[in-house]
Amino acid sequence: MGLIKHRPTVRLRLPAVIHPGQTVKVLTIIDAKRKVPIESITAVVTGSDECSVGSGKNRQTYRKNFIKLAVQLSGSGELRRRTSRYRWQFVLPDDAPPSFEGQESSTRYAIEVRVAIPWWPDRHSDFAVTVALPPATVDESKPEVFSTNPDGPNAEEPYLECSLGTRTLAPGSELHGSMALSNVAHNRYRKLVLALVAREYRRDPRGRSIGSTLELHRFKYELPLEELVEGQAIPFHLRLPAAMPPS
């Protein structure tokens, strides 16, 4: 064997999207142009939260690993020429958060495969992994009612009540509800705007709130108003965005 050793290449096959609690089957493929002595082959699954605050020289980035799963694929030996395959699996905790990319914070998952080669630089290969929550079960048996004043209409001031079929919103699903306006004789209501707002909160590794709250998305729905009747329900049916970030 020559003095100059060869570092193999690494490929990974697994589902494009995985879910917490799912048994994920992985195929690690290692290609070598010639035989390579190895000390070990390991795979490490990591999940991490990262957030940043400030700018310029005052910018700080906080990172916390909340998942680290290690699997040894091979011990000491020799990689044969051409292709070697290693099958393994892992399970993320049921409460693992989904992948997320915000303005100043993120939740990311990755798999690092390390081929340890004696007396030679190791081969490190990193692969991003996408984690998504399973489809949410929308329970419409518990509607929610909101109002601009918990004590009800006051004198001639604008007043709105909103009833939602549920507080559990699933991306791509329909939201059913109704609104009602009061004191219509004293206020010129032109239209109703329902906004679904996604906000980003940043926390350090100790869970303490840092920085200001950031607005990620604002999905707006306008409901036209025609002939208004005092306190009459105005029903609506909205299709929620499929790309709605989780909370």
Side-chain angles (χ1 to χ4, degrees):
M1 184 175 293
L3 295 178
I4 299 179
K5 299 180 181 179
H6 167 66
R7 288 201 302 165
T9 59
V10 179
R11 292 177 287 156
L12 218 60
R13 291 182 182 174
L14 74 161
V17 178
I18 65 177
H19 304 291
Q22 172 190 355
T23 298
V24 182
K25 297 182 179 180
V26 186
L27 174 62
T28 299
I29 305 171
I30 301 180
D31 299 306
K33 294 181 180 178
R34 53 180 179 268
K35 293 181 179 180
V36 181
I38 59 171
E39 294 177 339
S40 64
I41 302 175
T42 56
V44 179
V45 182
T46 58
S48 62
D49 287 327
E50 185 174 298
C51 70
S52 300
V53 291
S55 60
K57 295 182 179 180
N58 296 321
R59 186 171 178 80
Q60 289 184 302
T61 298
Y62 300 88
R63 190 173 190 270
K64 178 184 179 182
N65 289 331
F66 55 85
I67 288 177
K68 187 174 183 179
L69 307 173
V71 178
Q72 182 165 323
L73 307 183
S74 175
S76 179
E78 186 177 71
L79 280 177
R80 64 184 182 183
R81 185 186 173 192
R82 295 185 180 174
T83 300
S84 299
R85 291 177 169 84
Y86 302 89
R87 299 182 185 275
W88 54 286
Q89 62 186 36
F90 68 93
V91 180
L92 293 179
D94 292 337
D95 59 352
S99 301
F100 171 74
E101 290 292 335
Q103 294 181 16
E104 294 286 1
S105 60
S106 63
T107 299
R108 296 172 181 161
Y109 292 84
I111 296 177
E112 180 194 12
V113 177
R114 178 191 176 198
V115 182
I117 305 172
W119 303 100
W120 201 253
D122 296 341
R123 165 65 72 189
H124 292 269
S125 298
D126 294 306
F127 304 88
V129 177
T130 300
V131 177
L133 295 178
T137 300
V138 178
D139 182 7
E140 294 192 352
S141 64
K142 298 179 180 179
E144 293 285 340
V145 179
F146 307 89
S147 66
T148 54
N149 186 341
D151 297 326
N154 183 18
E156 299 178 357
E157 295 181 0
Y159 178 79
L160 168 72
E161 284 187 355
C162 177
S163 174
L164 298 180
T166 179
R167 292 191 68 171
T168 303
L169 307 180
S173 67
E174 285 192 356
L175 175 63
H176 307 277
S178 64
M179 296 187 185
L181 293 166
S182 297
N183 294 331
V184 296
H186 307 287
N187 296 278
R188 188 179 178 185
Y189 299 113
R190 295 182 179 178
K191 62 182 177 180
L192 287 173
V193 179
L194 179 64
L196 181 63
V197 183
R199 293 190 176 97
E200 179 180 328
Y201 301 90
R202 290 169 286 176
R203 299 185 183 277
D204 66 12
R206 295 184 180 181
R208 298 175 301 187
S209 179
I210 56 175
S212 58
T213 301
L214 304 175
E215 184 174 307
L216 286 182
H217 302 284
R218 179 177 288 267
F219 305 102
K220 294 172 60 177
Y221 305 88
E222 293 191 5
L223 305 177
L225 297 178
E226 297 177 355
E227 294 184 6
L228 287 177
V229 177
E230 181 77 13
Q232 185 178 61
I234 305 170
F236 60 85
H237 307 277
L238 306 175
R239 174 69 65 179
L240 299 176
M244 186 172 67
S247 59

